[in-house]
Amino acid sequence: MLFAAALAFIFDPANLLGEKGILPRLMDHLLYTGLSLGAALLVGIPIGLLIGHTGKGKNFVIALTGSFRALPTFGLLLFIILFTGLGLGPLVFVLAILAIPPIIAGAYSGLDSVNRETIDAARAIGMTEWQILGKVEIPLALPLILGGVRSATLQIIATATIAGYVGLTGLGRFLIEGLALHDYTLAFAGAILVAALALVADGILALIQRLVVPHGVSRGMARTTTRSSRRTAPSALTGAPLTEG
Amino acid sequence: MIEFRGVSKQFDDGTLAVDDFSLVIPSHKTVVLVGSSGCGKTTLLRMINRMVDPTSGSILIDDEDIAGLEPVKLRRRIGYVMQNSGLLPHRKVIDNVATVPLLEGVPKRQAYARAMELLDTVGLDRSLANRYPSQLSGGQQQRVGVARGLAVDPNILLMDEPFGAVDPIVRADLQQELIRLQQELGKTVVFVTHDIDEAFLLGDQVVILQVGAQIAQQGTPTEILANPATEFVADFIGAGRGKRRLSVDASVESEGNDLVLVDSAGHAAGVVDAPGGVIANGDSGPKSRSISNKTDQAGDA
Amino acid sequence: MQWLWENRDLVFGLSLEHVRLSAIPIIVGLIASIPLGWLANRFRVTRAIQLTLFGILFTIPSLAFFITLPSVLGTKILNPINVVVALAVYAIAIMVRGAADAFASVPRDVIQSATAVGFSSASRFWKVELPLSGPVLLANLRVVSVTTVSLLSVGALVGNGALGYLFINGYQRDFPTEVMIGIIFTLIIAVLFDQILVAIGRILMPWARGARGASRALTVGGAA
């Protein structure tokens, strides 16, 4: 059976190390993911916080995330690489570009979800704008901000899978090689590995996301929220990401 | 002393919220700005700590033009209490009360000790210090809001409909608490409300506002009740509808020493102490509470 | 442009294929989500199970999903059914959560007053809850539509990507124009679908024109 054969491949120590082994490819996959996510965070978080704090540019966020979703990532990756050529740099560039919109959207919607009265009161008692951002808005928005990071991470992990198609390594290489050689055991094993990596990453981020919910907010939730108004927020919070690749 | 000099405020959307407003608010008194929603009263209040800057005119605190002051510094020396407490939901009660002192660099231990005292001052049990705002009732949250407003021991306390969102019984409680506090502390309190009864209860001075923050009348509650300046004022305070003009209902045989009072429409409005059927005369002064009425303030009439 | 003209039959054929293959999952997602979303909104337990299950399925990268499905369905790897089923699962995953939110967005007092004036539980669902949850359902369906159209192209790696074929072909021939044409036509189809959904929404829910719920759900969805 294919599934058993794929598992056998995964757990065969002979396939763990070596140039085409699971471990080096996993490390490469993590490397692509880490670098791209880092770059995307550096750009996306400040923009998202700025838009969220000032409330200016909301339409930009909606347009950005909407059109981003419509863009076929796969095509975009190939298109850009045709111009930039292969290599770690171009790949990280493309992956980061793809990860920026969900990060901006998460940071923006996080700050947007903070009660206006709370912010107004913080200003009225004499907090500076930086203090409002750092001591009020970010702590309260953290779950949603991380929701965006979570989406972005999964987006990157999934799209990095296609990197195998453009000659780089990573776990996607198993899939592509398997398909090219009609070795479906190999492809299946790759699929399992990629799925497992995505699930583990998502699980870890979900856990962190739960841990950062401010105490006063989680305890108060049940009592102070109205059904309709708050329900929409958690959908962004836990909303599973759109994954391509 | 807070002084408004020819202050106007036009918002970006063109509405003229405040039109050439001038007023002197004396120190250590409670001044209530009262008017219907949209009359500009909250805008006036928020100008005092520069949450809103006037389009023209100036505002002075102890003869100093606040336009020249750093807004953040100004706000930190003015207490501010708002309708829905505006507490930080992710911080415990004690941290909320100590927020500004901590921002100002007061050592933590000292700020907490002071915050604990303030909980006593506003009538909250110290055991609530480690709760989160969402774990408190609406009335308790407002008390925390007041404690936070007092944390830096400000001379001025701004209160924007602070009791507007709590139920009537709790509101009455909080009002009495504020009267007691004010007797103790003697702050300069600027209080905004749309509730004329609340204004008469709390205000040493009451300023009745019309659209555009036009002063319809200002004075003590007694002065306003005795001589409503305009039809608008009479209507606003209820005198026009005869609600505040009370007379003894002679047809009711009351037991003991009370006489029943009725308003001009003949609805029972309260009772008055009348030992032996004679209403005591004005010895007890205008603030006498000798008439117990469901709105209480009719005693000023 | 010249390339497009010379290959108009190919591009047109692939576009039709794209419309066909992506329309099925969208429709399936909508139909399946209504009972599932209603269940999720009604019972805590089913909600938790559904959201977890579809959350996990949704986390699996699409290429991995395309490749693993044949062994589950017993199909050949190049069978278009695989891609359609995978996209339908993604669609349902988005819609289940969206529909649960949509039903939850119906104000409780409206439901209670409907019960009070004598709606039976079934007629209340069809005549009150479903129409009123419409705007939020629509907002989520638009997300599904756009996502499905865009994800379909990855299917090209397993032989069923419709316009995605142009990506692979253009890449192999080192011919960016072809890739670009593929992207543009994918976007056109996405916009077309979106406009159709908006138009249907206008006809079915004239009261919700410019409803805030819709735009809000889009922003929120953007974070997802």
mmCIF file with all atom_site columns, all heavy atoms in Angstrom, chain A residues 69, chain C residues 25-27 29-30 87 90-95 139-150 197:
data_model
loop_
_atom_site.group_PDB
_atom_site.id
_atom_site.type_symbol
_atom_site.label_atom_id
_atom_site.label_alt_id
_atom_site.label_comp_id
_atom_site.label_asym_id
_atom_site.label_entity_id
_atom_site.label_seq_id
_atom_site.pdbx_PDB_ins_code
_atom_site.Cartn_x
_atom_site.Cartn_y
_atom_site.Cartn_z
_atom_site.occupancy
_atom_site.B_iso_or_equiv
_atom_site.pdbx_formal_charge
_atom_site.auth_seq_id
_atom_site.auth_comp_id
_atom_site.auth_asym_id
_atom_site.auth_atom_id
_atom_site.pdbx_PDB_model_num
ATOM 1   N N   . ARG A 1 69  ? -5.024  37.488 -2.546  1.00 0.00 ? 69  ARG A N   1
ATOM 2   C CA  . ARG A 1 69  ? -5.645  36.168 -2.537  1.00 0.00 ? 69  ARG A CA  1
ATOM 3   C C   . ARG A 1 69  ? -5.925  35.677 -3.954  1.00 0.00 ? 69  ARG A C   1
ATOM 4   O O   . ARG A 1 69  ? -5.877  34.491 -4.230  1.00 0.00 ? 69  ARG A O   1
ATOM 5   C CB  . ARG A 1 69  ? -6.947  36.221 -1.754  1.00 0.00 ? 69  ARG A CB  1
ATOM 6   C CG  . ARG A 1 69  ? -6.928  35.353 -0.517  1.00 0.00 ? 69  ARG A CG  1
ATOM 7   C CD  . ARG A 1 69  ? -8.320  35.103 -0.031  1.00 0.00 ? 69  ARG A CD  1
ATOM 8   N NE  . ARG A 1 69  ? -9.049  36.348 0.147   1.00 0.00 ? 69  ARG A NE  1
ATOM 9   C CZ  . ARG A 1 69  ? -9.170  36.957 1.317   1.00 0.00 ? 69  ARG A CZ  1
ATOM 10  N NH1 . ARG A 1 69  ? -8.628  36.449 2.388   1.00 0.00 ? 69  ARG A NH1 1
ATOM 11  N NH2 . ARG A 1 69  ? -9.833  38.076 1.416   1.00 0.00 ? 69  ARG A NH2 1
ATOM 12  N N   . PRO C 2 25  ? -16.012 23.167 -6.978  1.00 0.00 ? 25  PRO C N   1
ATOM 13  C CA  . PRO C 2 25  ? -15.711 23.262 -5.542  1.00 0.00 ? 25  PRO C CA  1
ATOM 14  C C   . PRO C 2 25  ? -16.431 24.416 -4.854  1.00 0.00 ? 25  PRO C C   1
ATOM 15  O O   . PRO C 2 25  ? -16.859 24.287 -3.703  1.00 0.00 ? 25  PRO C O   1
ATOM 16  C CB  . PRO C 2 25  ? -14.202 23.498 -5.498  1.00 0.00 ? 25  PRO C CB  1
ATOM 17  C CG  . PRO C 2 25  ? -13.688 23.020 -6.793  1.00 0.00 ? 25  PRO C CG  1
ATOM 18  C CD  . PRO C 2 25  ? -14.778 23.214 -7.791  1.00 0.00 ? 25  PRO C CD  1
ATOM 19  N N   . ILE C 2 26  ? -16.595 25.526 -5.566  1.00 0.00 ? 26  ILE C N   1
ATOM 20  C CA  . ILE C 2 26  ? -17.255 26.679 -4.936  1.00 0.00 ? 26  ILE C CA  1
ATOM 21  C C   . ILE C 2 26  ? -18.703 26.334 -4.606  1.00 0.00 ? 26  ILE C C   1
ATOM 22  O O   . ILE C 2 26  ? -19.186 26.576 -3.493  1.00 0.00 ? 26  ILE C O   1
ATOM 23  C CB  . ILE C 2 26  ? -17.198 27.915 -5.872  1.00 0.00 ? 26  ILE C CB  1
ATOM 24  C CG1 . ILE C 2 26  ? -15.741 28.315 -6.112  1.00 0.00 ? 26  ILE C CG1 1
ATOM 25  C CG2 . ILE C 2 26  ? -17.979 29.070 -5.269  1.00 0.00 ? 26  ILE C CG2 1
ATOM 26  C CD1 . ILE C 2 26  ? -15.564 29.377 -7.184  1.00 0.00 ? 26  ILE C CD1 1
ATOM 27  N N   . ILE C 2 27  ? -19.379 25.718 -5.576  1.00 0.00 ? 27  ILE C N   1
ATOM 28  C CA  . ILE C 2 27  ? -20.788 25.367 -5.362  1.00 0.00 ? 27  ILE C CA  1
ATOM 29  C C   . ILE C 2 27  ? -20.908 24.316 -4.260  1.00 0.00 ? 27  ILE C C   1
ATOM 30  O O   . ILE C 2 27  ? -21.740 24.427 -3.348  1.00 0.00 ? 27  ILE C O   1
ATOM 31  C CB  . ILE C 2 27  ? -21.414 24.877 -6.680  1.00 0.00 ? 27  ILE C CB  1
ATOM 32  C CG1 . ILE C 2 27  ? -21.457 26.036 -7.677  1.00 0.00 ? 27  ILE C CG1 1
ATOM 33  C CG2 . ILE C 2 27  ? -22.814 24.336 -6.435  1.00 0.00 ? 27  ILE C CG2 1
ATOM 34  C CD1 . ILE C 2 27  ? -21.762 25.627 -9.101  1.00 0.00 ? 27  ILE C CD1 1
ATOM 35  N N   . GLY C 2 29  ? -18.857 23.818 -1.874  1.00 0.00 ? 29  GLY C N   1
ATOM 36  C CA  . GLY C 2 29  ? -18.540 24.467 -0.598  1.00 0.00 ? 29  GLY C CA  1
ATOM 37  C C   . GLY C 2 29  ? -19.747 25.185 -0.026  1.00 0.00 ? 29  GLY C C   1
ATOM 38  O O   . GLY C 2 29  ? -20.049 25.071 1.164   1.00 0.00 ? 29  GLY C O   1
ATOM 39  N N   . LEU C 2 30  ? -20.476 25.891 -0.891  1.00 0.00 ? 30  LEU C N   1
ATOM 40  C CA  . LEU C 2 30  ? -21.640 26.635 -0.413  1.00 0.00 ? 30  LEU C CA  1
ATOM 41  C C   . LEU C 2 30  ? -22.723 25.690 0.108   1.00 0.00 ? 30  LEU C C   1
ATOM 42  O O   . LEU C 2 30  ? -23.232 25.847 1.223   1.00 0.00 ? 30  LEU C O   1
ATOM 43  C CB  . LEU C 2 30  ? -22.211 27.506 -1.538  1.00 0.00 ? 30  LEU C CB  1
ATOM 44  C CG  . LEU C 2 30  ? -23.509 28.224 -1.164  1.00 0.00 ? 30  LEU C CG  1
ATOM 45  C CD1 . LEU C 2 30  ? -23.260 29.211 -0.046  1.00 0.00 ? 30  LEU C CD1 1
ATOM 46  C CD2 . LEU C 2 30  ? -24.119 28.930 -2.359  1.00 0.00 ? 30  LEU C CD2 1
ATOM 47  N N   . LEU C 2 87  ? -9.899  20.970 -3.642  1.00 0.00 ? 87  LEU C N   1
ATOM 48  C CA  . LEU C 2 87  ? -10.375 22.358 -3.581  1.00 0.00 ? 87  LEU C CA  1
ATOM 49  C C   . LEU C 2 87  ? -11.732 22.438 -2.890  1.00 0.00 ? 87  LEU C C   1
ATOM 50  O O   . LEU C 2 87  ? -12.016 23.410 -2.173  1.00 0.00 ? 87  LEU C O   1
ATOM 51  C CB  . LEU C 2 87  ? -10.454 22.946 -4.993  1.00 0.00 ? 87  LEU C CB  1
ATOM 52  C CG  . LEU C 2 87  ? -9.099  23.149 -5.688  1.00 0.00 ? 87  LEU C CG  1
ATOM 53  C CD1 . LEU C 2 87  ? -9.286  23.682 -7.100  1.00 0.00 ? 87  LEU C CD1 1
ATOM 54  C CD2 . LEU C 2 87  ? -8.219  24.102 -4.885  1.00 0.00 ? 87  LEU C CD2 1
ATOM 55  N N   . TYR C 2 90  ? -11.072 22.454 0.798   1.00 0.00 ? 90  TYR C N   1
ATOM 56  C CA  . TYR C 2 90  ? -10.661 23.797 1.233   1.00 0.00 ? 90  TYR C CA  1
ATOM 57  C C   . TYR C 2 90  ? -11.868 24.730 1.303   1.00 0.00 ? 90  TYR C C   1
ATOM 58  O O   . TYR C 2 90  ? -12.033 25.506 2.241   1.00 0.00 ? 90  TYR C O   1
ATOM 59  C CB  . TYR C 2 90  ? -9.642  24.404 0.261   1.00 0.00 ? 90  TYR C CB  1
ATOM 60  C CG  . TYR C 2 90  ? -8.259  23.797 0.341   1.00 0.00 ? 90  TYR C CG  1
ATOM 61  C CD1 . TYR C 2 90  ? -7.500  23.594 -0.806  1.00 0.00 ? 90  TYR C CD1 1
ATOM 62  C CD2 . TYR C 2 90  ? -7.679  23.446 1.565   1.00 0.00 ? 90  TYR C CD2 1
ATOM 63  C CE1 . TYR C 2 90  ? -6.224  23.054 -0.761  1.00 0.00 ? 90  TYR C CE1 1
ATOM 64  C CE2 . TYR C 2 90  ? -6.411  22.910 1.619   1.00 0.00 ? 90  TYR C CE2 1
ATOM 65  C CZ  . TYR C 2 90  ? -5.678  22.713 0.451   1.00 0.00 ? 90  TYR C CZ  1
ATOM 66  O OH  . TYR C 2 90  ? -4.431  22.190 0.521   1.00 0.00 ? 90  TYR C OH  1
ATOM 67  N N   . ALA C 2 91  ? -12.715 24.638 0.266   1.00 0.00 ? 91  ALA C N   1
ATOM 68  C CA  . ALA C 2 91  ? -13.893 25.517 0.220   1.00 0.00 ? 91  ALA C CA  1
ATOM 69  C C   . ALA C 2 91  ? -14.789 25.261 1.424   1.00 0.00 ? 91  ALA C C   1
ATOM 70  O O   . ALA C 2 91  ? -15.249 26.203 2.086   1.00 0.00 ? 91  ALA C O   1
ATOM 71  C CB  . ALA C 2 91  ? -14.663 25.294 -1.084  1.00 0.00 ? 91  ALA C CB  1
ATOM 72  N N   . ILE C 2 92  ? -15.014 23.988 1.710   1.00 0.00 ? 92  ILE C N   1
ATOM 73  C CA  . ILE C 2 92  ? -15.874 23.666 2.853   1.00 0.00 ? 92  ILE C CA  1
ATOM 74  C C   . ILE C 2 92  ? -15.216 24.167 4.148   1.00 0.00 ? 92  ILE C C   1
ATOM 75  O O   . ILE C 2 92  ? -15.889 24.695 5.036   1.00 0.00 ? 92  ILE C O   1
ATOM 76  C CB  . ILE C 2 92  ? -16.139 22.144 2.928   1.00 0.00 ? 92  ILE C CB  1
ATOM 77  C CG1 . ILE C 2 92  ? -16.928 21.699 1.700   1.00 0.00 ? 92  ILE C CG1 1
ATOM 78  C CG2 . ILE C 2 92  ? -16.921 21.796 4.188   1.00 0.00 ? 92  ILE C CG2 1
ATOM 79  C CD1 . ILE C 2 92  ? -17.088 20.192 1.597   1.00 0.00 ? 92  ILE C CD1 1
ATOM 80  N N   . ALA C 2 93  ? -13.890 23.999 4.222   1.00 0.00 ? 93  ALA C N   1
ATOM 81  C CA  . ALA C 2 93  ? -13.189 24.435 5.436   1.00 0.00 ? 93  ALA C CA  1
ATOM 82  C C   . ALA C 2 93  ? -13.402 25.924 5.689   1.00 0.00 ? 93  ALA C C   1
ATOM 83  O O   . ALA C 2 93  ? -13.670 26.344 6.817   1.00 0.00 ? 93  ALA C O   1
ATOM 84  C CB  . ALA C 2 93  ? -11.698 24.126 5.317   1.00 0.00 ? 93  ALA C CB  1
ATOM 85  N N   . ILE C 2 94  ? -13.301 26.719 4.628   1.00 0.00 ? 94  ILE C N   1
ATOM 86  C CA  . ILE C 2 94  ? -13.528 28.162 4.810   1.00 0.00 ? 94  ILE C CA  1
ATOM 87  C C   . ILE C 2 94  ? -14.986 28.416 5.146   1.00 0.00 ? 94  ILE C C   1
ATOM 88  O O   . ILE C 2 94  ? -15.320 29.204 6.032   1.00 0.00 ? 94  ILE C O   1
ATOM 89  C CB  . ILE C 2 94  ? -13.158 28.949 3.526   1.00 0.00 ? 94  ILE C CB  1
ATOM 90  C CG1 . ILE C 2 94  ? -11.682 28.763 3.189   1.00 0.00 ? 94  ILE C CG1 1
ATOM 91  C CG2 . ILE C 2 94  ? -13.479 30.428 3.684   1.00 0.00 ? 94  ILE C CG2 1
ATOM 92  C CD1 . ILE C 2 94  ? -11.257 29.434 1.897   1.00 0.00 ? 94  ILE C CD1 1
ATOM 93  N N   . MET C 2 95  ? -15.875 27.721 4.431   1.00 0.00 ? 95  MET C N   1
ATOM 94  C CA  . MET C 2 95  ? -17.303 28.009 4.574   1.00 0.00 ? 95  MET C CA  1
ATOM 95  C C   . MET C 2 95  ? -17.883 27.538 5.906   1.00 0.00 ? 95  MET C C   1
ATOM 96  O O   . MET C 2 95  ? -18.803 28.147 6.428   1.00 0.00 ? 95  MET C O   1
ATOM 97  C CB  . MET C 2 95  ? -18.086 27.381 3.419   1.00 0.00 ? 95  MET C CB  1
ATOM 98  C CG  . MET C 2 95  ? -17.930 28.109 2.097   1.00 0.00 ? 95  MET C CG  1
ATOM 99  S SD  . MET C 2 95  ? -18.294 29.878 2.203   1.00 0.00 ? 95  MET C SD  1
ATOM 100 C CE  . MET C 2 95  ? -20.071 29.857 2.409   1.00 0.00 ? 95  MET C CE  1
ATOM 101 N N   . ALA C 2 139 ? -19.928 37.019 1.954   1.00 0.00 ? 139 ALA C N   1
ATOM 102 C CA  . ALA C 2 139 ? -18.563 37.515 2.105   1.00 0.00 ? 139 ALA C CA  1
ATOM 103 C C   . ALA C 2 139 ? -17.580 36.352 2.139   1.00 0.00 ? 139 ALA C C   1
ATOM 104 O O   . ALA C 2 139 ? -16.513 36.402 1.518   1.00 0.00 ? 139 ALA C O   1
ATOM 105 C CB  . ALA C 2 139 ? -18.440 38.346 3.378   1.00 0.00 ? 139 ALA C CB  1
ATOM 106 N N   . ASN C 2 140 ? -17.950 35.297 2.845   1.00 0.00 ? 140 ASN C N   1
ATOM 107 C CA  . ASN C 2 140 ? -17.052 34.147 2.913   1.00 0.00 ? 140 ASN C CA  1
ATOM 108 C C   . ASN C 2 140 ? -16.999 33.396 1.590   1.00 0.00 ? 140 ASN C C   1
ATOM 109 O O   . ASN C 2 140 ? -15.950 32.878 1.212   1.00 0.00 ? 140 ASN C O   1
ATOM 110 C CB  . ASN C 2 140 ? -17.506 33.209 4.039   1.00 0.00 ? 140 ASN C CB  1
ATOM 111 C CG  . ASN C 2 140 ? -17.066 33.722 5.394   1.00 0.00 ? 140 ASN C CG  1
ATOM 112 O OD1 . ASN C 2 140 ? -15.914 33.616 5.751   1.00 0.00 ? 140 ASN C OD1 1
ATOM 113 N ND2 . ASN C 2 140 ? -17.986 34.319 6.129   1.00 0.00 ? 140 ASN C ND2 1
ATOM 114 N N   . LEU C 2 141 ? -18.149 33.354 0.913   1.00 0.00 ? 141 LEU C N   1
ATOM 115 C CA  . LEU C 2 141 ? -18.165 32.666 -0.374  1.00 0.00 ? 141 LEU C CA  1
ATOM 116 C C   . LEU C 2 141 ? -17.256 33.382 -1.372  1.00 0.00 ? 141 LEU C C   1
ATOM 117 O O   . LEU C 2 141 ? -16.619 32.748 -2.209  1.00 0.00 ? 141 LEU C O   1
ATOM 118 C CB  . LEU C 2 141 ? -19.601 32.602 -0.905  1.00 0.00 ? 141 LEU C CB  1
ATOM 119 C CG  . LEU C 2 141 ? -19.793 31.640 -2.085  1.00 0.00 ? 141 LEU C CG  1
ATOM 120 C CD1 . LEU C 2 141 ? -19.467 30.224 -1.679  1.00 0.00 ? 141 LEU C CD1 1
ATOM 121 C CD2 . LEU C 2 141 ? -21.206 31.724 -2.628  1.00 0.00 ? 141 LEU C CD2 1
ATOM 122 N N   . ARG C 2 142 ? -17.193 34.688 -1.259  1.00 0.00 ? 142 ARG C N   1
ATOM 123 C CA  . ARG C 2 142 ? -16.292 35.441 -2.152  1.00 0.00 ? 142 ARG C CA  1
ATOM 124 C C   . ARG C 2 142 ? -14.838 35.071 -1.882  1.00 0.00 ? 142 ARG C C   1
ATOM 125 O O   . ARG C 2 142 ? -14.034 34.963 -2.802  1.00 0.00 ? 142 ARG C O   1
ATOM 126 C CB  . ARG C 2 142 ? -16.523 36.943 -1.974  1.00 0.00 ? 142 ARG C CB  1
ATOM 127 C CG  . ARG C 2 142 ? -17.867 37.404 -2.533  1.00 0.00 ? 142 ARG C CG  1
ATOM 128 C CD  . ARG C 2 142 ? -18.155 38.849 -2.214  1.00 0.00 ? 142 ARG C CD  1
ATOM 129 N NE  . ARG C 2 142 ? -17.219 39.755 -2.884  1.00 0.00 ? 142 ARG C NE  1
ATOM 130 C CZ  . ARG C 2 142 ? -17.177 41.059 -2.654  1.00 0.00 ? 142 ARG C CZ  1
ATOM 131 N NH1 . ARG C 2 142 ? -18.032 41.608 -1.809  1.00 0.00 ? 142 ARG C NH1 1
ATOM 132 N NH2 . ARG C 2 142 ? -16.312 41.815 -3.289  1.00 0.00 ? 142 ARG C NH2 1
ATOM 133 N N   . VAL C 2 143 ? -14.518 34.887 -0.608  1.00 0.00 ? 143 VAL C N   1
ATOM 134 C CA  . VAL C 2 143 ? -13.157 34.456 -0.269  1.00 0.00 ? 143 VAL C CA  1
ATOM 135 C C   . VAL C 2 143 ? -12.891 33.082 -0.882  1.00 0.00 ? 143 VAL C C   1
ATOM 136 O O   . VAL C 2 143 ? -11.842 32.839 -1.497  1.00 0.00 ? 143 VAL C O   1
ATOM 137 C CB  . VAL C 2 143 ? -12.966 34.414 1.260   1.00 0.00 ? 143 VAL C CB  1
ATOM 138 C CG1 . VAL C 2 143 ? -11.622 33.788 1.609   1.00 0.00 ? 143 VAL C CG1 1
ATOM 139 C CG2 . VAL C 2 143 ? -13.070 35.805 1.844   1.00 0.00 ? 143 VAL C CG2 1
ATOM 140 N N   . VAL C 2 144 ? -13.862 32.183 -0.724  1.00 0.00 ? 144 VAL C N   1
ATOM 141 C CA  . VAL C 2 144 ? -13.725 30.840 -1.288  1.00 0.00 ? 144 VAL C CA  1
ATOM 142 C C   . VAL C 2 144 ? -13.507 30.912 -2.791  1.00 0.00 ? 144 VAL C C   1
ATOM 143 O O   . VAL C 2 144 ? -12.616 30.263 -3.344  1.00 0.00 ? 144 VAL C O   1
ATOM 144 C CB  . VAL C 2 144 ? -14.991 30.004 -0.993  1.00 0.00 ? 144 VAL C CB  1
ATOM 145 C CG1 . VAL C 2 144 ? -14.994 28.736 -1.830  1.00 0.00 ? 144 VAL C CG1 1
ATOM 146 C CG2 . VAL C 2 144 ? -15.067 29.668 0.475   1.00 0.00 ? 144 VAL C CG2 1
ATOM 147 N N   . SER C 2 145 ? -14.304 31.732 -3.453  1.00 0.00 ? 145 SER C N   1
ATOM 148 C CA  . SER C 2 145 ? -14.251 31.816 -4.902  1.00 0.00 ? 145 SER C CA  1
ATOM 149 C C   . SER C 2 145 ? -12.871 32.254 -5.386  1.00 0.00 ? 145 SER C C   1
ATOM 150 O O   . SER C 2 145 ? -12.246 31.599 -6.219  1.00 0.00 ? 145 SER C O   1
ATOM 151 C CB  . SER C 2 145 ? -15.345 32.780 -5.365  1.00 0.00 ? 145 SER C CB  1
ATOM 152 O OG  . SER C 2 145 ? -15.020 33.362 -6.591  1.00 0.00 ? 145 SER C OG  1
ATOM 153 N N   . VAL C 2 146 ? -12.400 33.340 -4.805  1.00 0.00 ? 146 VAL C N   1
ATOM 154 C CA  . VAL C 2 146 ? -11.107 33.878 -5.216  1.00 0.00 ? 146 VAL C CA  1
ATOM 155 C C   . VAL C 2 146 ? -9.992  32.870 -4.934  1.00 0.00 ? 146 VAL C C   1
ATOM 156 O O   . VAL C 2 146 ? -9.100  32.628 -5.758  1.00 0.00 ? 146 VAL C O   1
ATOM 157 C CB  . VAL C 2 146 ? -10.853 35.207 -4.472  1.00 0.00 ? 146 VAL C CB  1
ATOM 158 C CG1 . VAL C 2 146 ? -9.407  35.584 -4.547  1.00 0.00 ? 146 VAL C CG1 1
ATOM 159 C CG2 . VAL C 2 146 ? -11.723 36.301 -5.039  1.00 0.00 ? 146 VAL C CG2 1
ATOM 160 N N   . THR C 2 147 ? -10.050 32.259 -3.765  1.00 0.00 ? 147 THR C N   1
ATOM 161 C CA  . THR C 2 147 ? -9.018  31.307 -3.367  1.00 0.00 ? 147 THR C CA  1
ATOM 162 C C   . THR C 2 147 ? -8.996  30.094 -4.288  1.00 0.00 ? 147 THR C C   1
ATOM 163 O O   . THR C 2 147 ? -7.935  29.640 -4.718  1.00 0.00 ? 147 THR C O   1
ATOM 164 C CB  . THR C 2 147 ? -9.296  30.816 -1.937  1.00 0.00 ? 147 THR C CB  1
ATOM 165 O OG1 . THR C 2 147 ? -9.501  31.936 -1.108  1.00 0.00 ? 147 THR C OG1 1
ATOM 166 C CG2 . THR C 2 147 ? -8.128  30.028 -1.416  1.00 0.00 ? 147 THR C CG2 1
ATOM 167 N N   . THR C 2 148 ? -10.183 29.586 -4.588  1.00 0.00 ? 148 THR C N   1
ATOM 168 C CA  . THR C 2 148 ? -10.262 28.380 -5.423  1.00 0.00 ? 148 THR C CA  1
ATOM 169 C C   . THR C 2 148 ? -9.683  28.644 -6.807  1.00 0.00 ? 148 THR C C   1
ATOM 170 O O   . THR C 2 148 ? -8.889  27.854 -7.311  1.00 0.00 ? 148 THR C O   1
ATOM 171 C CB  . THR C 2 148 ? -11.734 27.931 -5.550  1.00 0.00 ? 148 THR C CB  1
ATOM 172 O OG1 . THR C 2 148 ? -12.273 27.772 -4.248  1.00 0.00 ? 148 THR C OG1 1
ATOM 173 C CG2 . THR C 2 148 ? -11.833 26.622 -6.297  1.00 0.00 ? 148 THR C CG2 1
ATOM 174 N N   . VAL C 2 149 ? -10.084 29.762 -7.384  1.00 0.00 ? 149 VAL C N   1
ATOM 175 C CA  . VAL C 2 149 ? -9.596  30.100 -8.722  1.00 0.00 ? 149 VAL C CA  1
ATOM 176 C C   . VAL C 2 149 ? -8.068  30.174 -8.722  1.00 0.00 ? 149 VAL C C   1
ATOM 177 O O   . VAL C 2 149 ? -7.400  29.701 -9.634  1.00 0.00 ? 149 VAL C O   1
ATOM 178 C CB  . VAL C 2 149 ? -10.213 31.430 -9.202  1.00 0.00 ? 149 VAL C CB  1
ATOM 179 C CG1 . VAL C 2 149 ? -9.543  31.903 -10.474 1.00 0.00 ? 149 VAL C CG1 1
ATOM 180 C CG2 . VAL C 2 149 ? -11.706 31.269 -9.409  1.00 0.00 ? 149 VAL C CG2 1
ATOM 181 N N   . SER C 2 150 ? -7.515  30.770 -7.656  1.00 0.00 ? 150 SER C N   1
ATOM 182 C CA  . SER C 2 150 ? -6.072  30.955 -7.610  1.00 0.00 ? 150 SER C CA  1
ATOM 183 C C   . SER C 2 150 ? -5.332  29.647 -7.311  1.00 0.00 ? 150 SER C C   1
ATOM 184 O O   . SER C 2 150 ? -4.293  29.357 -7.889  1.00 0.00 ? 150 SER C O   1
ATOM 185 C CB  . SER C 2 150 ? -5.752  32.045 -6.588  1.00 0.00 ? 150 SER C CB  1
ATOM 186 O OG  . SER C 2 150 ? -4.616  31.748 -5.871  1.00 0.00 ? 150 SER C OG  1
ATOM 187 N N   . LEU C 2 197 ? -20.946 36.815 -8.002  1.00 0.00 ? 197 LEU C N   1
ATOM 188 C CA  . LEU C 2 197 ? -21.423 36.582 -6.631  1.00 0.00 ? 197 LEU C CA  1
ATOM 189 C C   . LEU C 2 197 ? -22.033 37.856 -6.052  1.00 0.00 ? 197 LEU C C   1
ATOM 190 O O   . LEU C 2 197 ? -23.075 37.816 -5.404  1.00 0.00 ? 197 LEU C O   1
ATOM 191 C CB  . LEU C 2 197 ? -20.276 36.093 -5.742  1.00 0.00 ? 197 LEU C CB  1
ATOM 192 C CG  . LEU C 2 197 ? -19.809 34.664 -5.999  1.00 0.00 ? 197 LEU C CG  1
ATOM 193 C CD1 . LEU C 2 197 ? -18.604 34.328 -5.145  1.00 0.00 ? 197 LEU C CD1 1
ATOM 194 C CD2 . LEU C 2 197 ? -20.942 33.688 -5.718  1.00 0.00 ? 197 LEU C CD2 1
#
